Amino acid sequence: MNDWRSFSDVEFEPLVKKVFSEFEEGKYVHPGEILLFANFMIIFSKWELIPDTIDSIIAIINNLLKEKENSIIPLSDWGSIEVGYGGYAYSTDIEELSLVRKQLKEFNEKNLNKHAKKDFINEITNMLNNTDEFIKNIIHVNGTYKYYKQPILSFIDIEEFYKELQKLDFSTREKIITALSERYGKVYGNEPFTKEYIPDYENLKKLRDKFKADEKPITYNPQMLFEKSITKELDELVSYFEKHMGRCGVSVASVAC
Protein backbone atom coordinates (compact mmCIF):
# COMPACT_ATOMS: atom_id res chain seq x y z
CA MET A 1 0.00 0.00 0.00
CA ASN A 2 3.05 2.28 0.15
CA ASP A 3 2.42 3.93 -3.23
CA TRP A 4 -1.37 4.10 -3.16
CA ARG A 5 -1.35 7.84 -3.96
CA SER A 6 0.04 7.20 -7.44
CA PHE A 7 -2.32 4.37 -8.41
CA SER A 8 -5.07 4.49 -10.97
CA ASP A 9 -8.41 2.80 -10.32
CA VAL A 10 -7.21 -0.20 -12.33
CA GLU A 11 -4.29 -0.63 -9.93
CA PHE A 12 -5.91 0.51 -6.69
CA GLU A 13 -9.13 -1.53 -6.64
CA PRO A 14 -7.56 -5.01 -6.94
CA LEU A 15 -4.88 -4.08 -4.42
CA VAL A 16 -7.41 -2.94 -1.83
CA LYS A 17 -9.52 -6.05 -2.40
CA LYS A 18 -6.44 -8.23 -2.06
CA VAL A 19 -5.51 -6.62 1.27
CA PHE A 20 -9.07 -7.10 2.57
CA SER A 21 -9.01 -10.73 1.45
CA GLU A 22 -5.64 -11.43 3.04
CA PHE A 23 -6.73 -9.71 6.25
CA GLU A 24 -9.89 -11.78 6.54
CA GLU A 25 -7.90 -14.95 5.84
CA GLY A 26 -5.73 -14.16 8.85
CA LYS A 27 -2.52 -13.33 7.04
CA TYR A 28 -1.89 -10.27 9.20
CA VAL A 29 -1.54 -11.38 12.82
CA HIS A 30 0.95 -8.86 14.23
CA PRO A 31 -0.82 -6.08 16.20
CA GLY A 32 1.15 -3.50 14.21
CA GLU A 33 -0.14 -4.95 10.92
CA ILE A 34 -3.70 -4.91 12.24
CA LEU A 35 -3.37 -1.26 13.22
CA LEU A 36 -1.90 -0.34 9.84
CA PHE A 37 -4.82 -2.07 8.13
CA ALA A 38 -7.24 -0.11 10.32
CA ASN A 39 -5.34 3.11 9.67
CA PHE A 40 -5.36 2.76 5.87
CA MET A 41 -8.89 1.48 5.48
CA ILE A 42 -10.58 3.87 7.91
CA ILE A 43 -8.91 6.81 6.12
CA PHE A 44 -9.89 5.43 2.70
CA SER A 45 -13.46 5.04 3.94
CA LYS A 46 -13.59 8.60 5.25
CA TRP A 47 -12.29 9.91 1.93
CA GLU A 48 -14.76 7.65 0.06
CA LEU A 49 -11.92 5.95 -1.81
CA ILE A 50 -13.50 2.61 -0.92
CA PRO A 51 -17.19 1.67 -0.57
CA ASP A 52 -16.68 -0.01 2.82
CA THR A 53 -18.04 1.80 5.86
CA ILE A 54 -15.99 2.38 8.99
CA ASP A 55 -18.39 0.16 10.93
CA SER A 56 -17.87 -2.70 8.47
CA ILE A 57 -14.07 -2.29 8.69
CA ILE A 58 -14.18 -2.41 12.50
CA ALA A 59 -16.44 -5.48 12.27
CA ILE A 60 -13.83 -7.23 10.10
CA ILE A 61 -11.14 -6.40 12.66
CA ASN A 62 -13.32 -7.67 15.51
CA ASN A 63 -13.99 -10.89 13.60
CA LEU A 64 -10.26 -11.43 13.10
CA LEU A 65 -9.63 -11.02 16.85
CA LYS A 66 -12.38 -13.54 17.53
CA GLU A 67 -11.72 -16.13 14.82
CA LYS A 68 -7.90 -15.96 14.82
CA GLU A 69 -7.47 -15.30 18.54
CA ASN A 70 -4.88 -18.03 18.99
CA SER A 71 -2.85 -16.82 16.01
CA ILE A 72 -2.52 -13.15 16.99
CA ILE A 73 1.07 -12.49 18.07
CA PRO A 74 1.31 -11.38 21.72
CA LEU A 75 3.38 -8.21 21.88
CA SER A 76 5.33 -7.65 25.11
CA ASP A 77 6.46 -4.14 24.15
CA TRP A 78 3.31 -2.30 23.17
CA GLY A 79 5.21 0.98 23.19
CA SER A 80 7.03 -0.13 20.04
CA ILE A 81 3.80 0.20 18.02
CA GLU A 82 2.01 2.90 20.02
CA VAL A 83 2.38 5.58 17.33
CA GLY A 84 3.31 3.57 14.25
CA TYR A 85 4.60 0.33 12.77
CA GLY A 86 6.99 -0.62 9.99
CA GLY A 87 8.10 2.95 9.52
CA TYR A 88 4.55 4.28 9.07
CA ALA A 89 2.79 6.45 11.65
CA TYR A 90 -0.91 6.17 12.45
CA SER A 91 -3.24 9.13 12.06
CA THR A 92 -3.77 10.76 15.45
CA ASP A 93 -6.90 12.78 14.69
CA ILE A 94 -9.28 9.94 13.83
CA GLU A 95 -11.47 8.95 16.76
CA GLU A 96 -12.44 5.57 15.34
CA LEU A 97 -8.79 4.61 14.92
CA SER A 98 -8.04 5.63 18.49
CA LEU A 99 -10.84 3.33 19.65
CA VAL A 100 -9.47 0.44 17.56
CA ARG A 101 -6.01 1.03 19.03
CA LYS A 102 -7.41 1.01 22.58
CA GLN A 103 -9.38 -2.16 21.89
CA LEU A 104 -6.38 -3.92 20.37
CA LYS A 105 -4.16 -2.89 23.29
CA GLU A 106 -6.64 -4.45 25.72
CA PHE A 107 -6.79 -7.59 23.56
CA ASN A 108 -2.98 -7.74 23.52
CA GLU A 109 -2.77 -7.54 27.31
CA LYS A 110 -5.16 -10.49 27.65
CA ASN A 111 -3.32 -12.35 24.91
CA LEU A 112 0.03 -11.81 26.64
CA ASN A 113 -1.46 -13.07 29.88
CA LYS A 114 -2.84 -16.19 28.21
CA HIS A 115 0.42 -17.09 26.48
CA ALA A 116 2.51 -16.30 29.57
CA LYS A 117 0.32 -18.58 31.68
CA LYS A 118 0.67 -21.46 29.24
CA ASP A 119 4.45 -20.99 28.90
CA PHE A 120 5.05 -20.65 32.63
CA ILE A 121 3.10 -23.79 33.50
CA ASN A 122 5.19 -25.70 30.94
CA GLU A 123 8.39 -24.28 32.41
CA ILE A 124 7.44 -25.48 35.89
CA THR A 125 7.02 -29.04 34.65
CA ASN A 126 10.52 -28.83 33.11
CA MET A 127 12.09 -26.89 35.98
CA LEU A 128 14.24 -29.84 37.07
CA ASN A 129 16.02 -29.95 33.71
CA ASN A 130 16.06 -26.22 32.92
CA THR A 131 16.57 -24.47 36.24
CA ASP A 132 18.99 -21.84 34.93
CA GLU A 133 16.64 -20.93 32.08
CA PHE A 134 13.70 -20.84 34.48
CA ILE A 135 15.53 -18.37 36.72
CA LYS A 136 16.63 -16.15 33.83
CA ASN A 137 13.03 -15.95 32.65
CA ILE A 138 11.68 -14.72 36.00
CA ILE A 139 14.38 -12.27 37.10
CA HIS A 140 14.68 -8.71 35.87
CA VAL A 141 18.35 -7.74 35.95
CA ASN A 142 20.33 -9.87 33.48
CA GLY A 143 17.18 -11.86 32.75
CA THR A 144 15.23 -12.44 29.55
CA TYR A 145 12.26 -10.25 30.57
CA LYS A 146 10.04 -13.04 29.26
CA TYR A 147 7.44 -12.54 31.98
CA TYR A 148 7.97 -8.85 32.67
CA LYS A 149 4.91 -7.39 34.43
CA GLN A 150 3.17 -10.78 34.23
CA PRO A 151 1.81 -12.08 37.59
CA ILE A 152 3.19 -15.57 37.01
CA LEU A 153 2.48 -16.99 40.47
CA SER A 154 -1.20 -16.13 40.09
CA PHE A 155 -1.31 -18.36 36.98
CA ILE A 156 -0.40 -21.61 38.68
CA ASP A 157 -1.52 -24.26 41.12
CA ILE A 158 0.80 -23.50 44.02
CA GLU A 159 0.53 -27.08 45.34
CA GLU A 160 1.99 -28.38 42.07
CA PHE A 161 4.69 -25.70 42.09
CA TYR A 162 5.68 -26.68 45.62
CA LYS A 163 5.87 -30.36 44.62
CA GLU A 164 8.19 -29.49 41.74
CA LEU A 165 10.36 -27.38 44.05
CA GLN A 166 10.72 -30.33 46.42
CA LYS A 167 12.27 -32.38 43.61
CA LEU A 168 15.20 -29.94 43.56
CA ASP A 169 18.14 -29.86 45.94
CA PHE A 170 18.21 -27.18 48.63
CA SER A 171 20.65 -24.84 46.92
CA THR A 172 18.56 -24.82 43.73
CA ARG A 173 15.33 -24.18 45.65
CA GLU A 174 17.07 -21.32 47.43
CA LYS A 175 18.20 -19.84 44.08
CA ILE A 176 14.62 -19.88 42.81
CA ILE A 177 13.22 -18.17 45.92
CA THR A 178 16.03 -15.59 45.74
CA ALA A 179 15.13 -15.08 42.06
CA LEU A 180 11.56 -14.28 43.15
CA SER A 181 12.88 -11.74 45.66
CA GLU A 182 14.87 -10.13 42.84
CA ARG A 183 11.87 -10.20 40.51
CA TYR A 184 9.71 -8.32 42.98
CA GLY A 185 12.46 -5.80 43.82
CA LYS A 186 12.98 -6.81 47.45
CA VAL A 187 16.75 -7.30 47.10
CA TYR A 188 17.29 -3.69 45.99
CA GLY A 189 17.64 -0.70 48.29
CA ASN A 190 15.20 1.42 46.29
CA GLU A 191 12.64 -1.45 46.28
CA PRO A 192 11.33 -1.03 42.69
CA PHE A 193 8.01 -2.77 43.34
CA THR A 194 5.87 -3.38 40.24
CA LYS A 195 2.13 -3.07 40.92
CA GLU A 196 1.29 -5.53 38.13
CA TYR A 197 2.63 -8.28 40.40
CA ILE A 198 0.06 -7.67 43.15
CA PRO A 199 -2.11 -10.63 41.95
CA ASP A 200 0.82 -12.91 42.97
CA TYR A 201 0.30 -12.04 46.64
CA GLU A 202 -2.19 -14.80 47.52
CA ASN A 203 -0.15 -17.61 45.97
CA LEU A 204 3.04 -16.20 47.49
CA LYS A 205 1.43 -16.53 50.91
CA LYS A 206 0.31 -20.06 50.10
CA LEU A 207 3.87 -20.97 49.05
CA ARG A 208 5.24 -19.53 52.29
CA ASP A 209 2.65 -21.49 54.26
CA LYS A 210 3.53 -24.74 52.46
CA PHE A 211 7.16 -24.39 53.49
CA LYS A 212 6.13 -23.52 57.05
CA ALA A 213 3.81 -26.51 57.32
CA ASP A 214 6.63 -28.90 56.38
CA GLU A 215 9.13 -27.50 58.88
CA LYS A 216 10.56 -29.90 61.47
CA PRO A 217 12.68 -29.35 64.57
CA ILE A 218 16.26 -28.44 63.67
CA THR A 219 17.76 -30.56 66.48
CA TYR A 220 20.20 -32.98 64.82
CA ASN A 221 18.82 -31.79 61.48
CA PRO A 222 21.27 -29.45 59.71
CA GLN A 223 19.29 -29.57 56.48
CA MET A 224 16.20 -28.19 58.22
CA LEU A 225 18.27 -25.30 59.53
CA PHE A 226 18.84 -24.21 55.95
CA GLU A 227 15.31 -25.05 54.84
CA LYS A 228 14.02 -22.58 57.42
CA SER A 229 16.01 -19.85 55.73
CA ILE A 230 13.78 -20.29 52.66
CA THR A 231 10.68 -19.89 54.80
CA LYS A 232 12.17 -16.77 56.35
CA GLU A 233 12.89 -15.27 52.94
CA LEU A 234 9.34 -16.00 51.78
CA ASP A 235 7.95 -14.54 54.99
CA GLU A 236 9.91 -11.34 54.40
CA LEU A 237 8.74 -11.29 50.79
CA VAL A 238 5.09 -11.51 51.91
CA SER A 239 5.66 -8.60 54.32
CA TYR A 240 7.37 -6.66 51.52
CA PHE A 241 4.31 -7.16 49.33
CA GLU A 242 1.97 -6.02 52.07
CA LYS A 243 3.99 -2.86 52.63
CA HIS A 244 3.99 -1.90 48.97
CA MET A 245 0.38 -2.91 48.42
CA GLY A 246 -0.51 -0.40 51.12
CA ARG A 247 1.48 2.27 49.31
CA CYS A 248 -0.39 1.41 46.12
CA GLY A 249 -3.68 1.83 47.96
CA VAL A 250 -4.48 -1.89 47.82
CA SER A 251 -5.59 -3.55 51.04
CA VAL A 252 -4.66 -7.11 51.88
CA ALA A 253 -8.33 -7.87 52.50
CA SER A 254 -9.33 -6.74 49.00
CA VAL A 255 -6.74 -9.01 47.40
CA ALA A 256 -7.92 -11.93 49.50
CA CYS A 257 -11.45 -11.33 48.24
Side-chain angles (χ1 to χ4, degrees):
M1 302 297 294
N2 300 350
D3 302 317
W4 67 269
R5 291 173 180 81
S6 63
F7 290 162
S8 66
D9 57 346
V10 175
E11 297 167 310
F12 188 66
E13 182 179 353
L15 178 61
V16 168
K17 290 181 176 179
K18 179 182 180 183
V19 171
F20 266 101
S21 176
E22 290 179 339
F23 189 89
E24 293 182 82
E25 290 169 2
K27 182 174 181 178
Y28 309 125
V29 292
H30 189 286
E33 292 174 332
I34 297 170
L35 285 176
L36 276 187
F37 172 84
N39 186 79
F40 275 118
M41 299 310 170
I42 288 175
I43 289 175
F44 292 162
S45 178
K46 279 186 173 292
W47 291 347
E48 299 182 357
L49 278 170
I50 59 176
D52 308 83
T53 66
I54 291 176
D55 285 344
S56 69
I57 292 167
I58 292 175
I60 289 172
I61 294 170
N62 289 338
N63 189 64
L64 177 80
L65 298 182
K66 180 181 178 181
E67 298 296 326
K68 304 294 182 180
E69 179 181 352
N70 294 327
S71 300
I72 305 297
I73 296 170
L75 192 63
S76 58
D77 181 16
W78 182 262
S80 65
I81 65 163
E82 184 66 43
V83 297
Y85 177 72
Y88 298 94
Y90 316 127
S91 298
T92 58
D93 57 348
I94 300 177
E95 181 182 359
E96 294 90 346
L97 184 61
S98 296
L99 292 174
V100 170
R101 188 159 63 242
K102 180 182 178 183
Q103 176 193 6
L104 189 58
K105 183 177 181 180
E106 291 172 355
F107 174 90
N108 183 69
E109 288 173 357
K110 292 178 182 177
N111 200 26
L112 264 178
N113 189 290
K114 180 180 70 175
H115 281 266
K117 180 176 181 178
K118 181 180 178 181
D119 288 349
F120 191 62
I121 289 173
N122 287 337
E123 285 200 38
I124 288 173
T125 60
N126 294 313
M127 193 164 52
L128 187 63
N129 299 321
N130 298 291
T131 305
D132 290 341
E133 181 182 351
F134 180 83
I135 289 174
K136 284 183 179 180
N137 286 340
I138 66 174
I139 61 177
H140 284 181
V141 177
N142 296 323
T144 63
Y145 272 71
K146 181 176 181 179
Y147 300 112
Y148 182 59
K149 291 189 176 182
Q150 292 291 321
I152 52 178
L153 287 188
S154 71
F155 296 158
I156 61 175
D157 182 331
I158 214 67
E159 295 274 349
E160 293 301 318
F161 183 47
Y162 182 73
K163 288 178 183 177
E164 292 299 321
L165 285 173
Q166 295 309 305
K167 296 176 183 178
L168 308 172
D169 58 58
F170 165 76
S171 62
T172 305
R173 282 199 300 276
E174 186 179 42
K175 285 179 183 178
I176 290 173
I177 301 305
T178 299
L180 287 176
S181 291
E182 192 280 341
R183 174 180 182 79
Y184 298 125
K186 178 181 172 292
V187 300
Y188 302 109
N190 62 337
E191 297 188 353
F193 186 77
T194 304
K195 61 180 174 54
E196 284 82 0
Y197 297 149
I198 288 175
D200 284 347
Y201 172 71
E202 281 300 315
N203 268 351
L204 187 62
K205 279 201 309 178
K206 289 178 183 178
L207 184 61
R208 184 268 317 266
D209 292 344
K210 288 295 296 180
F211 275 97
K212 274 190 175 181
D214 284 348
E215 282 187 351
K216 297 178 177 63
I218 62 174
T219 305
Y220 297 125
N221 194 344
Q223 186 174 357
M224 187 52 58
L225 175 67
F226 297 109
E227 289 286 350
K228 284 192 173 185
S229 67
I230 290 181
T231 307
K232 181 182 177 183
E233 185 165 3
L234 285 170
D235 212 22
E236 291 174 352
L237 196 50
V238 168
S239 297
Y240 168 81
F241 256 74
E242 291 172 350
K243 177 177 72 174
H244 284 280
M245 285 161 56
R247 290 177 179 175
C248 293
V250 179
S251 69
V252 173
S254 68
V255 175
C257 292

